[in-house]
Amino acid sequence: MNRNPHLNELGEFLKARRAELSPSDVGLRGGRRRRVSGLRREEVALLAAISTEYYTRIEQGRLQASAPLLHEIAQVLRLNDDQRTYLFDLAAKERVRPATPGDRQQVDAQLQRMLDDLTATPAFVIGRRTDILGWNQLAAALWTDFGRYPEQEWVFVRLLFTEPWMRDLYADWEEVTRLAIAQLRMESARYPDDRRLTALVEELSARDAQFRQWWTAHDVATRGKGTKKLRHPVVGELTLDWNTLTCGTDPDQHIIVWNAAPGSPSHDGLRLLASWTAGRKRSRSDTVV
């Protein structure tokens, strides 16, 4: 019997999540000695008030669960909001999003003008597959002018693995990279037939063992906000807050805006970088690394 690959993905996700829980986490006794950590299928089934056989068929991709049952399983597995969204996207992907073409997204011209007007704030636009769609002059100074790469390589998660300067720039490179992968995993649920996304995952899985490990962990995340530490070659260490704004005309384009608390050393560092950049004419080959 041919199994639905989308349901197989859902099953792998459920397996990864139950492996993270112990019986005590969900109010059960540990019982007999365990060969592997995590909850057993029969324990998830018990807590979800279904048979072990029924839950096993869901996890093996042989059965599509109803929305109420998915809600119950999500509660049992202690899923957070992002994980719950991912679970329901996987279960209903045929009616959530149509298949998308393999073409690259294009940044809206008005959106690019807005980026260019942000002379004191680094910002870039990121799309599906973590494509870098547009950026401003200060973002080019903080990272690099992405235009110096071939357009097909303007992919943030790819640059994290292929460019040594990205590892040098991020003091918390592993945290940044795992978050990017978790966001990419979320996109894969929304666009299961995106050929370019599939090719990107296959490429990075083949070339890097860390990517394979983190991708198969099935961690998921939406884009929100946070704080990152950077080691910039010109202005030194920066602690920057980032936030996500969604484009009104294309919800798959997100503006990532970076700033620092006024009066902080990092705020002064951004101002210094902006003044250093102001006198330089932007070139498609400019880079600070």
Side-chain angles (χ1 to χ4, degrees):
M1 179 177 62
N2 291 326
R3 296 178 183 174
N4 187 327
H6 305 335
L7 297 183
N8 285 343
E9 175 66 22
L10 183 146
E12 290 298 316
F13 175 69
L14 293 177
K15 189 185 303 182
R17 298 289 74 81
R18 69 179 172 85
E20 295 174 339
L21 296 172
S22 67
S24 61
D25 291 331
V26 295
L28 296 176
R29 289 187 174 184
R32 65 187 184 276
R33 179 177 294 182
R34 294 169 179 260
R35 290 177 296 176
V36 295
S37 61
L39 292 179
R40 298 189 180 97
R41 285 172 176 166
E42 56 264 32
E43 291 168 334
V44 177
L46 173 66
L47 293 169
I50 57 176
S51 71
T52 300
E53 179 185 2
Y54 197 84
Y55 178 77
T56 299
R57 292 173 66 193
I58 294 171
E59 199 172 276
Q60 290 179 343
R62 296 188 287 131
L63 180 69
Q64 185 161 7
S66 65
L69 179 54
L70 287 176
H71 176 75
E72 193 68 29
I73 292 172
Q75 286 188 309
V76 170
L77 296 178
R78 306 293 195 265
L79 301 188
N80 62 32
D81 289 344
D82 287 350
Q83 291 168 338
R84 188 182 294 264
T85 298
Y86 180 72
L87 176 67
F88 278 85
D89 280 353
L90 282 175
K93 52 181 45 145
E94 281 85 1
R95 55 190 172 83
V96 173
R97 292 291 174 103
T100 58
D103 295 339
R104 178 180 168 83
Q105 294 172 273
Q106 297 294 324
V107 66
D108 180 81
Q110 185 177 5
L111 192 57
Q112 183 62 59
R113 288 199 300 271
M114 184 191 77
L115 292 180
D116 292 336
D117 285 342
L118 296 175
T119 57
T121 304
F124 57 78
V125 177
I126 196 166
R128 295 189 305 271
R129 323 171 194 101
T130 72
D131 291 337
I132 302 294
L133 306 180
W135 60 93
N136 63 10
Q137 190 172 10
L138 194 51
L142 189 58
W143 287 274
T144 188
D145 191 332
F146 299 100
R148 74 188 183 98
Y149 294 93
E151 187 172 354
Q152 64 270 21
E153 296 181 14
W154 298 358
V155 183
F156 189 77
V157 71
R158 188 179 189 277
L159 293 171
L160 283 167
F161 282 97
T162 61
E163 296 302 310
W165 62 264
M166 286 284 265
R167 294 176 184 259
D168 294 337
L169 180 64
Y170 282 105
D172 48 358
W173 177 86
E174 179 175 336
E175 178 185 337
V176 170
T177 304
R178 296 192 71 160
L179 177 60
I181 292 173
Q183 292 166 345
L184 188 67
R185 172 67 79 173
M186 184 71 83
E187 290 297 320
S188 74
R190 300 172 66 215
Y191 290 103
D193 301 312
D194 189 320
R195 298 184 301 275
R196 281 172 55 93
L197 192 154
T198 300
L200 173 65
V201 171
E202 290 175 350
E203 175 202 352
L204 293 177
S205 295
R207 73 183 298 163
D208 196 284
Q210 281 185 303
F211 180 90
R212 289 196 303 274
Q213 176 188 353
W214 295 336
W215 180 257
T216 55
H218 291 264
D219 292 328
V220 293
T222 55
R223 292 190 177 91
K225 63 180 182 178
T227 302
K228 300 299 179 190
K229 296 182 183 296
L230 286 77
R231 299 174 296 217
H232 195 270
V234 175
V235 296
E237 293 187 3
L238 299 170
T239 299
L240 301 180
D241 299 322
W242 60 275
N243 210 325
T244 304
L245 307 174
T246 301
C247 178
T249 58
D250 183 356
D252 288 328
Q253 294 191 29
H254 302 281
I255 308 109
I256 312 298
V257 181
W258 300 70
N259 57 42
S264 67
S266 295
H267 185 261
D268 294 340
L270 277 184
R271 294 179 62 184
L272 177 62
L273 187 60
S275 63
W276 177 78
T277 305
R280 307 172 73 235
K281 182 178 179 180
R282 179 174 171 176
S283 165
R284 290 183 66 86
S285 62
D286 276 354
T287 179
V288 298
V289 297

